[in-house]
C-alpha cells in the first residue's frame, strides 16, 4: 500500500502514537537519575539509586535466578517449538493434529492466572518440589508455542522443493534438515529464542504461582517493591533493563540488515 | 524416516498434553472438591491404593458446591461482568488508537517501514511490568501529569486518576497497543492501492472508499488484533492491581486473592474454570480467524 503521500492526518497520528508509546518510558529513565526520592520533584542529577541497586543483594540474587530460568527455558522452548512447527507444517495429516494446533495457539491468549494456577496444581499433585525447576518447566510450556508460531510462518513461506531436491540428490532426511532447512529457518529460530527469553524475563504471574519459597525472580521482586508506590531503585533497574533491550534489538536489526544487504550483493555478483 | 517423524510429533505433543492439557483436568477436579485444612488444602484426594471402591467414593465426594457459591455471591459475578466490560471497552479504545498508527505506517515510504516496525515492537520486548509501572509515576496525585497540568494552569488541584478505572484503561491501551497495531499493519501493508483508486474512479468519496475497501480488506487484521487484546485482558492481574483501585474488580485479581490470600484453592479453581468457559468462544473464533488468514496466504 504505497504510492500516496502521507497526509497531515497520517503524520499526526504517527507522531502522537509513537510519543504515547515512548514518553512514559522516557520519563521513567529521566527520573531514575533524580537525586530526590520523590518522583516529581527534580533535585538534581544523581546516580545514587544505581549505586544502591548494585549493593542490594536481594536484587542481584533475583536477577541471577531470572537469568538462569530464562536461558534454560528459552533453549528448551526453541527445541520443542521448532519440532512442533515442523510437525505442523510438514506433516499435513496425523491423529490429533487439530488438538495439537489448538494447544499451540491457546497459550497465546490464555490468561496467565489460569496457566499459573493449573501448572501449580499439577506440580503439587505429582509431588514436585517447587523452585527454579518448576519455573523452567512452566516457562518452556508457554514460550514453546510462541516459538512454534514464529518458526512455522517461516517454514510455510520457504520453497519446499529445496528440501525435496536435497533428498533427491541423496541427502538423508537429517542431513537435508541440517544443511538446507535449518540455515533457511535460522533467523526465525533465533528470533523465537529471543522471544522466549524475553517472555521468561518478563513473566510475573506464572512464576508467582509455580515458584517455591527460595526462588524469587526479578519480576516477583519488582512487583513486591512497587506494590505500595513508586520506588527510585526500581526506576534505576527499569532504565538498565530498557537499555539492554534497546541495545539488543537495535544490534539485531542492524546485523540482519547487513546480512540481507550482503546476500543481495552476492546475488547481484552471481548474475 | 517414520521413526524420526514420530519423534518430531510425539515429543512436543506429549509435552503439551502433560503440561497444558492435564493441568486443566486437575483444575476441573479441584474445582469440584471441598476446601480442607490439610496439605494439599482440599478434599477428596485421589487414593489409588483403595482400588475401585476408592475411585467410587472419590467421585461421589465431588460436587458443584463451589460453582453454586460463585453464582450466589455478588462479588464473583460482578467481577466477571466488570472484567468483560473493561475488556470490551479497552479493546475498542485500543482499536481507535491503533488503527490510525497502523494506517500511517502502511502509507509511509517503504524505506521507513522497517524502522517504524522496530519502534512498535521495541516496547513489546521491554518488561510488561515496567511499562505498567511507568504509568504509576505519571498518573499519581503528585505525579508527572498532574504537576504538568497544574503548572500550565489547566487545572487548579490535581486530578485523581491513579487507582481508578481510567488508569486501568490507560494501562491496557498502552501495554496492548503493539498487539493491535501489528496485525492491522500486516493486513493493510498487503493492500493493493489500485483498488482504492478504482473505487474513487467509480465515484466513491475518500471516506466511503475507506469504509468500503480499506476496512473490509483489513478485516482479518482487525479481528485478530481485537481478540489478541480482548481475551488476555479478561484475566489481567498486573494492571488492575497496580493501576486500579478498590472499586476495580477484575477476575484475574479475584482469582489471585482467592488463591494467595484466602487459600481457598477449590474456589480459585472454579473461578478459573468459569473464566475459561467465558473465553472458550472468543478463543475458538480467534483460531478460526487465524486459520482463514493462513489459508488466504497459501
Amino acid at each position: 500500500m504505497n504510492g500516496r503521500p502521507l497526509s497531515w492526518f497520517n503524520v499526526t497520528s504517527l507522531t502522537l502514537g509513537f510519543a504515547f508509546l515512548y514518553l512514559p518510558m522516557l520519563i521513567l529513565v529521566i527520573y531514575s537519575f533524580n537525586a530526590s526520592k520523590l518522583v516529581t520533584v527534580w533535585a538534581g542529577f544523581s546516580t545514587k539509586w544505581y549505586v544502591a541497586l548494585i549493593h542490594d543483594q536481594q536484587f542481584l540474587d533475583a536477577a541471577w535466578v531470572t537469568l538462569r530460568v530464562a536461558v534454560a527455558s528459552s533453549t528448551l522452548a526453541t527445541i520443542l517449538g521448532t519440532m512442533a512447527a515442523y510437525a505442523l507444517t510438514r506433516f499435513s495429516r496425523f491423529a490429533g493434529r487439530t488438538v495439537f494446533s489448538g494447544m499451540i495457539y491457546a497459550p497465546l491468549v490464555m490468561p496467565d492466572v489460569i496457566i499459573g494456577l493449573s501448572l501449580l496444581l499439577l506440580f503439587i499433585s505429582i509431588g514436585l518440589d517447587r523452585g527454579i525447576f518448576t519455573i523452567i518447566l512452566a516457562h518452556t510450556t508457554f514460550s514453546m508455542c510462541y516459538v512454534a508460531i514464529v518458526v512455522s510462518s517461516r517454514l510455510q513461506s520457504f520453497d519446499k522443493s529445496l528440501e525435496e531436491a536435497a533428498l533427491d540428490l541423496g541427502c538423508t532426511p537429517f542431513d537435508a534438515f541440517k544443511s538446507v532447512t535449518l540455515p533457511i529457518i535460522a533467523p526465525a529460530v533465533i528470533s523465537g529464542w529471543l522471544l522466549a527469553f524475553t517472555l521468561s524475563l518478563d513473566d510475573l504471574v506464572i512464576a508467582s504461582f509455580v515458584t517455591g519459597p527460595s526462588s524469587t525472580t526479578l519480576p516477583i521482586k519488582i512487583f513486591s517493591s512497587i506494590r505500595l508506590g513508586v520506588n527510585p531503585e526500581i526506576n534505576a533497574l527499569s532504565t538498565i533493563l530498557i537499555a539492554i533491550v534497546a541495545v539488543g534489538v537495535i544490534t539485531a536489526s542492524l546485523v540482519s540488515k547487513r546480512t540481507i544487504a550482503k546476500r543481495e550483493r552476492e546475488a547481484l555478483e552471481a548474475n | 524416516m517414520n521413526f524420526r517423524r514420530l519423534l518430531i510429533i510425539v515429543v512436543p505433543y506429549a509435552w503439551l498434553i502433560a503440561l497444558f492439557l492435564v493441568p486443566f483436568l486437575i483444575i476441573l477436579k479441584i474445582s469440584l472438591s471441598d476446601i480442607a485444612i490439610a496439605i494439599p488444602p482440599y478434599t477428596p484426594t485421589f487414593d489409588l491404593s483403595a482400588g475401585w471402591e476408592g475411585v467410587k467414593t472419590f467421585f461421589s465426594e465431588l460436587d458443584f458446591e463451589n460453582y453454586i457459591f460463585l453464582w450466589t455471591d455478588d462479588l464473583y459475578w460482578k467481577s466477571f461482568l466488570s472484567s468483560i466490560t473493561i475488556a470490551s471497552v479497552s479493546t475498542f479504545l485500543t482499536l481507535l488508537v491503533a488503527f490510525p498508527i497502523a494506517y500511517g505506517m502502511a502509507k509511509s515510504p517503504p524505506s521507513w517501514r522497517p524502522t517504524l516496525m522496530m519502534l512498535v515492537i521495541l516496547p513489546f520486548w521491554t518488561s510488561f511490568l515496567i511499562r505498567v509501572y511507568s504509568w504509576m509515576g505519571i498518573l499519581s496525585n503528585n505525579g508527572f501529569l498532574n504537576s504538568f497540568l497544574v503548572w500550565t494552569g489547566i487545572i487548579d488541584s490535581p486530578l485523581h486518576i491513579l487507582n481508578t478505572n481510567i488508569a486501568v484503561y490507560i494501562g491496557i491501551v498502552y501495554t496492548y497497543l503493539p498487539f493491535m497495531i501489528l496485525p492491522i499493519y500486516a493486513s493493510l501493508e498487503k493492500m493493493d492501492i489500485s483498488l482504492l483508486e478504482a473505487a474513487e474512479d467509480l465515484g466513491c468519496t475518500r471516506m466511503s472508499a475507506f469504509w468500503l475497501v480499506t476496512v473490509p480488506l483489513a478485516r482479518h487484521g482487525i479481528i485478530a488484533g481485537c481478540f489478541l487484546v480482548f481475551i488476555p485482558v479478561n484475566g489481567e492481574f498486573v494492571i488492575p492491581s497496580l493501576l486500579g483501585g478498590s472499586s476495580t474488580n477484575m477476575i484475574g485479581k479475584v482469582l489471585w486473592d482467592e488463591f494467595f490470600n484466602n487459600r481457598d484453592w477449590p474456589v480459585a479453581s472454579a473461578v478459573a474454570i468459569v473464566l475459561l468457559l467465558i473465553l472458550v468462544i472468543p478463543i475458538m473464533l480467534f483460531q478460526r480467524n487465524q486459520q482463514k488468514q493462513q489459508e488466504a496466504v497459501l
Side-chain angles (χ1 to χ4, degrees), chain A residues 1-7 9-10 13-14 17-18 20-25 27-28 31 38-40 76 80 83-84 86-87 91 93-115 117-125 136-138 140-141 144-146 152 156 172-174 191 194-195 198-199 202 204-205 208-209 218-220 222-223 226-232 234-235 237-238 241-242 245-246 249-250 253 257, chain B residues 1 4-5 7-9 11-13 15-24 26-27 30 40 42 97 100-101 103-110 112-116 118-120 122-131 133-138 140 142-144 147 170 173-174 177-178 181 188-191 193 196-197 200 206 214 227-228 231-232 234-235 237-238 241-242 252 255-257 259-260 265 268-269 272 275-276 279 283 286-287 290-291 294 298:
Chain A
M1 186 172 162
N2 52 59
R4 285 193 184 196
L6 288 174
S7 65
F9 174 75
N10 298 139
S13 50
L14 282 175
F18 285 109
F20 176 62
L21 276 175
Y22 283 93
L23 268 183
M25 282 192 270
I27 293 171
L28 192 67
Y31 277 94
L38 292 167
V39 220
T40 42
L76 259 175
L80 288 166
M83 286 168 95
Y86 200 82
F91 310 138
R93 222 165 268 239
F94 56 86
R97 190 180 184 280
T98 324
V99 179
F100 189 41
S101 80
M103 285 195 298
I104 293 286
Y105 276 104
L108 257 70
V109 286
M110 192 69 72
D112 289 350
V113 280
I114 298 184
I115 299 183
L117 178 64
S118 66
L119 280 168
L120 171 67
L121 296 176
L122 170 79
F123 295 146
I124 285 175
S125 62
I136 293 173
L137 286 182
T140 305
T141 307
M144 69 176 273
C145 302
Y146 286 86
S152 70
Q156 258 160 11
T172 63
F174 182 71
S191 48
L194 283 171
L195 186 60
T198 41
L199 286 169
D202 209 19
L204 162 74
V205 175
S208 300
F209 274 100
L218 208 49
I220 298 177
I222 294 176
F223 184 69
I226 60 178
R227 240 188 155 158
L228 302 170
V230 174
N231 173 333
I234 301 290
N235 290 355
L237 178 62
S238 309
L241 292 177
I242 291 171
V245 169
V249 171
I250 291 168
S253 82
K257 218 181 223 170
Chain B
M1 174 67 192
R4 217 172 254 130
R5 178 187 153 133
L7 198 71
I8 287 173
I9 297 173
V11 174
Y13 205 162
W15 182 287
L16 284 174
I17 287 176
L19 285 132
F20 188 71
L21 210 56
V22 170
F24 280 114
I26 295 175
I27 280 206
I30 291 175
Y42 52 83
V97 177
I101 301 175
Y103 192 72
M105 283 169 68
K107 268 185 79 178
S108 62
W112 294 12
R113 288 184 201 164
T115 314
L116 292 177
M118 202 184 77
L119 285 174
V120 173
L122 197 61
F124 175 77
W125 292 92
T126 42
S127 166
F128 181 82
L129 197 55
I130 288 172
R131 279 181 291 148
Y133 169 66
S134 69
W135 283 96
M136 288 173 71
I138 295 173
S140 67
N142 55 359
F144 188 83
S147 318
I170 294 174
V173 173
Y174 181 66
L177 198 58
I181 294 178
L188 283 177
E189 199 219 356
K190 282 183 298 211
M191 203 178 112
I193 197 78
L196 274 184
E197 281 158 7
E200 278 169 27
R206 280 211 152 186
T214 312
F227 280 127
L228 282 174
I231 302 170
N234 267 295
F237 163 74
V238 176
S241 52
L242 289 180
L255 194 157
W256 179 284
D257 291 339
F259 187 82
F260 285 104
W265 295 14
S269 307
L275 178 57
L276 202 63
L279 295 183
I283 288 176
F286 168 70
Q287 281 174 358
Q290 293 308 95
Q291 263 163 12
Q294 252 179 25
L298 291 178

